[in-house]
Amino acid sequence: MSDGYRVPAEPVQSEIVINRSRFLTTAELATSVLGARERLAALRSEMPGANHHVYAFRVGFGNSITEGMSDDGEPTGTAGPPTLAVLRGSGIGDILIVTARYFGGAKLGTGGLVRAYTASAQEALRALKTELKVEKKTVGLEMPYSFYNLVKRLVAAHNGTIEDEVFDERILIIVRFVQSDLNRFTVEVRERTAGRVLPVSLS
């Protein structure tokens, strides 16, 4: 996985009207499946007059991703899957999209519904502002006192953040790194300490 991925910076709503049916779409951050379902429930309660609340979400990114979707009463495969397909193609992670449809009296047919829900999700994503979410790793570094100043300098040089220090017979430092910085730090600290100090993953 790369050092980061795009996530929604703030919630956005968009609306399109097709054959008198209103499609009101909300796109927002969802950092957990529970959070996505809680927001879905909240949006249902905020828009009780809608005939359908179609949703799709992608929590995580890359190889560690959880997806969910629902047609919510629309013909099978005409609403949730098209919405999820738009999310998959967006390159955005940690995202929930909910489209509330207010039926206008004219049936759209299965093809029309697929196009409508696809267009609704696309319109919301066009309006969505994103930001970079950077994943970090926490590691522990145990060392004799003689290496303390050297390791601290290397941590700073590789943009690490020291979260805790424990001084006992040996010193233990807890540090957070962006993955690419950790990789470079690991190489250098191994070389500079002849392999006597190595990061141990804590997260």
Side-chain angles (χ1 to χ4, degrees), residues 52-78:
H52 307 277
H53 295 86
V54 170
Y55 72 85
F57 63 78
R58 303 186 85 220
V59 174
F61 192 74
N63 295 327
S64 59
I65 195 161
T66 303
E67 297 179 334
M69 65 180 176
S70 173
D71 292 310
D72 194 40
E74 294 282 29
T76 302
T78 63

Side-chain angles (χ1 to χ4, degrees), residues 145-158:
Y145 279 73
S146 59
F147 285 132
Y148 176 65
N149 289 330
L150 168 65
V151 171
K152 282 196 71 172
R153 286 197 301 273
L154 293 178
V155 167
H158 292 280

Side-chain angles (χ1 to χ4, degrees), residues 16-39:
I16 63 174
V17 178
I18 301 175
N19 283 0
R20 299 193 302 277
S21 278
R22 291 176 58 220
F23 294 83
L24 184 62
T25 301
T26 303
E28 61 182 70
L29 184 69
T31 56
S32 69
V33 174
L34 177 60
R37 298 198 183 283
E38 288 176 345
R39 281 301 299 148

Side-chain angles (χ1 to χ4, degrees), residues 103-175:
F103 184 57
K107 292 187 176 180
L108 301 180
T110 55
L113 286 171
V114 169
R115 288 189 293 273
Y117 281 103
T118 298
S120 297
Q122 290 171 337
E123 182 66 21
L125 291 188
R126 271 193 290 271
L128 182 68
K129 293 180 180 179
T130 62
E131 61 189 6
L132 188 66
K133 178 177 180 178
V134 178
E135 294 291 298
K136 292 191 175 183
K137 297 281 292 182
T138 302
V139 298
L141 296 155
E142 191 178 50
M143 71 204 73
Y145 279 73
S146 59
F147 285 132
Y148 176 65
N149 289 330
L150 168 65
V151 171
K152 282 196 71 172
R153 286 197 301 273
L154 293 178
V155 167
H158 292 280
N159 306 308
T161 302
I162 294 176
E163 298 199 327
D164 196 11
E165 296 179 322
V166 179
F167 297 89
D168 206 335
E169 291 184 7
R170 290 166 63 86
I171 298 173
L172 173 65
I173 302 177
I174 308 299
V175 189

